Amino acid sequence: MAFHCTLGSRRYHFDDLRTLLARASPARSGDYLAGIGAASNEERVAAQSALAELPLAHFLNEAVVPYEDDEVTRLIIDTHDRQAFAAVAHLTVGDFRNWLLALDDPAVMVALRAGLTPEMVAAVSKLMRVQDLICVARKCRVETAFRNRIGLPGRFSTRLQPNHPTDDLAGIAASIVDGLLYGSGDAVIGINPAGDNLQTVIRLNRLLDDILTRFEIPTQGCVLAHVSTTLEAIGRGAPVDLCFQSIAGTEAANRGFGIDLELLAQARAATLGLGRGSVGHNVMYFETGQGSALSANAHHGVDQQTLEARAYGVARAFDPLLVNTVVGFIGPEYLYDGKQIARAALEDHFCGKLLGLPMGCDICYTNHAEADQDDMDALLTQFAVAGGTFIMGVPGADDIMLNYQSTSFHDALYVREVLGLRPAPEFEQWLLAQGIFDASGRLQTGELPPAALAGKLALAGGRS
């Protein structure tokens, strides 16, 4: 179906829905790399005007990636809940924006989730200013649980990321100690292995299990290996808490990651079967990023932000504990500068939360991007105000294995300080019991009782 909009004396034509969505997207380098971005700001406004008039129901009749060619499209369409959709079925995309901004009952949003498709939420995000994205996302509450409860009101969590370029256990343990003593790690202690070697993955899982068990730390560990490696590790008796995988918004892009929906279902079942959760059973951890499908030449001419939302359609099907948009990691070819990175992060958070996902953000950039730590500080504050679930905690904000810039343990302390937020409740109680935090939720200073804990943790890491 073609779409039209007249601005002044000029009439704009958009061949189909995917073209309309691409032209309506705020400017980003990846869409220009793909040759699908708006040719001018005027064309972008024309596309946004046409999109605002489009009925939400149209998204159920025209797929941006053909149903017969793509299992992600089939998943989205086949699991759509028309009864839940009925509440907004009469609205256009523009009306839906206004409806979301006016809504003040979070329970209504919860009831609506299953009735929304990723393409619907991507479309409405394109009509929103940054403050709109923040305002609506802040109203969405998503709670998940494994050994602690994540996403509760007034809480802000972190992934402790203790990566090491040679997967040295002592080096990783030292970073874990550092992060714990700053109150980091309640979302997950997640290690990116330098390689996908099975024996290394098993050793890293045992290290995490030893530390968490010995010191009764109410959080979860994860080794971010490929899902097939994690499955094999489970088969060999590895103590796996969470199963990780990078995912994308098309079947072809997921094939590039070496996965399909059936493999994800097998991994979730195997991880659930270990029964390691104590307060909940969300066992999947997914990471995504705008541009992943384009970088795999698997984008089908669809803009990168819409495809990112479709990745959330995949994640939603597997009831994850955590979903993390690694927003600036792929590089400036896809998000050129700090402004594009910030806009993308807030779009991702908005879309994921609207679909019912526990959204975190790796607030990050590569060293060849037109961005710096001031840009990340601004995004960090916006993301936290928007009700983000978790961020990364990287020693010094500099990941020496993945070679990119992220957020530090201190950044989480800043957010909790200025917005009055606390870690997950079970983890907070552990921090209080160890003397790491005081009764007001602030980091202890001076002569710290945790010195003895640090020594014990370091020894634990050395023995694993």
Side-chain angles (χ1 to χ4, degrees):
M1 176 179 173
F3 305 90
H4 306 274
C5 179
T6 300
L7 290 181
S9 61
R10 183 162 185 180
R11 183 172 174 81
Y12 287 90
H13 173 87
F14 308 100
D15 288 337
D16 50 28
L17 181 59
R18 67 181 179 182
T19 303
L20 180 65
L21 290 169
R23 302 295 194 272
S25 286
R28 60 208 55 194
S29 53
D31 289 340
Y32 292 120
L33 179 65
I36 60 176
S40 66
N41 287 331
E42 185 175 283
E43 184 184 26
R44 183 173 296 107
V45 170
Q48 290 171 341
S49 297
L51 184 61
E53 298 299 319
L54 185 67
L56 281 177
H58 182 86
F59 290 90
L60 302 177
N61 301 318
E62 183 178 357
V64 296
V65 183
Y67 181 93
E68 60 274 13
D69 298 338
D70 187 89
E71 68 172 359
V72 175
T73 301
R74 293 193 290 274
L75 172 70
I76 291 166
I77 297 299
D78 294 349
T79 60
H80 180 252
D81 187 333
R82 286 186 176 268
Q83 185 175 351
F85 179 60
V88 295
H90 60 292
L91 299 178
T92 65
V93 176
D95 292 333
F96 185 44
R97 171 189 176 274
N98 297 336
W99 184 88
L100 288 169
L101 288 167
L103 187 66
D104 60 3
D105 184 355
V108 174
M109 286 191 175
V110 173
L112 180 62
R113 290 170 182 168
L116 298 177
T117 68
E119 291 85 352
M120 291 176 191
V121 299
V124 75
S125 77
K126 298 175 192 296
L127 305 183
M128 291 187 156
R129 295 169 59 184
V130 162
Q131 65 178 246
D132 299 335
L133 296 171
I134 292 172
C135 179
V136 174
R138 188 172 178 83
K139 302 176 189 178
C140 299
R141 293 293 182 190
V142 181
E143 298 174 11
T144 56
F146 189 75
R147 289 202 190 94
N148 56 35
R149 292 166 293 160
I150 297 169
L152 297 176
R155 305 286 173 171
F156 189 75
S157 296
T158 59
R159 169 191 160 188
L160 202 173
Q161 185 169 304
N163 296 343
H164 192 280
T166 63
D167 291 328
D168 178 73
L169 296 186
I172 290 169
S175 292
I176 292 174
V177 171
D178 192 19
L180 289 171
L181 295 182
Y182 280 102
S184 185
D186 54 328
V188 64
I189 301 176
I191 306 168
N192 295 88
D196 210 45
N197 176 272
L198 175 62
Q199 292 306 316
T200 298
V201 169
I202 291 172
R203 282 198 303 272
L204 292 175
N205 273 291
R206 287 175 177 162
L207 168 66
L208 290 171
D209 180 61
D210 184 30
I211 291 174
L212 297 183
T213 301
R214 188 175 306 186
F215 299 100
E216 300 180 321
I217 307 174
T219 191
Q220 36 284 328
C222 184
V223 179
L224 282 70
H226 190 272
V227 63
S228 59
T229 305
T230 300
L231 267 172
E232 191 170 355
I234 290 173
R236 298 197 181 191
V240 172
D241 287 346
L242 305 183
C243 182
F244 166 82
Q245 183 56 47
S246 294
I247 56 173
T250 69
E251 178 180 344
N254 283 326
R255 280 204 306 269
F257 285 140
I259 63 168
D260 57 23
L261 300 181
E262 182 180 357
L263 180 60
L264 293 179
Q266 292 173 1
R268 179 173 181 265
T271 312
L272 273 173
L274 298 178
R276 293 175 59 83
S278 56
V279 298
H281 304 288
N282 301 108
V283 297
M284 300 301 288
Y285 175 18
F286 295 120
E287 288 192 344
T288 66
Q290 288 195 28
S292 57
L294 175 59
S295 68
N297 195 28
H299 61 100
H300 297 271
V302 182
D303 70 274
Q304 64 185 39
Q305 190 259 332
T306 298
L307 291 179
E308 175 74 0
R310 282 170 53 96
Y312 303 152
V314 174
R316 181 169 62 172
F318 298 98
D319 200 20
L321 179 76
L322 307 165
V323 177
N324 180 32
T325 169
V326 191
V327 66
F329 183 73
I330 302 181
E333 299 84 0
Y334 306 95
L335 295 169
Y336 179 71
D337 57 15
K339 181 176 181 178
Q340 291 189 10
I341 290 170
R343 171 78 198 194
L346 295 171
E347 288 170 349
D348 295 349
H349 178 247
F350 166 90
C351 291
K353 291 293 278 296
L354 218 58
L355 292 169
L357 293 174
M359 290 301 299
C361 183
D362 193 341
I363 297 167
C364 64
Y365 62 101
T366 57
N367 291 315
H368 62 310
E370 292 294 321
D372 60 27
Q373 211 63 40
D374 284 344
D375 294 317
M376 299 303 105
D377 281 355
L379 173 55
L380 170 66
T381 306
Q382 292 173 321
F383 179 75
V385 171
T389 301
F390 70 101
I391 59 169
M392 304 300 105
V394 177
D398 184 4
D399 192 302
I400 60 172
M401 192 274 281
L402 292 174
N403 195 29
Y404 78 118
Q405 310 304 311
S406 185
T407 45
S408 72
F409 307 136
H410 302 78
D411 291 326
L413 294 176
Y414 151 74
V415 165
R416 290 168 179 163
E417 171 79 13
V418 298
L419 296 179
L421 301 173
R422 296 188 172 215
E426 298 83 0
F427 191 76
E428 182 183 32
Q429 288 303 309
W430 183 83
L431 294 172
L432 290 168
Q434 302 301 323
I436 297 171
F437 276 14
D438 64 22
S440 67
R442 295 172 64 90
L443 189 70
Q444 292 269 28
T445 58
E447 289 298 323
L448 294 178
L453 173 66
K456 292 177 182 177
L457 283 168
L459 286 173
R463 284 196 296 266
S464 295

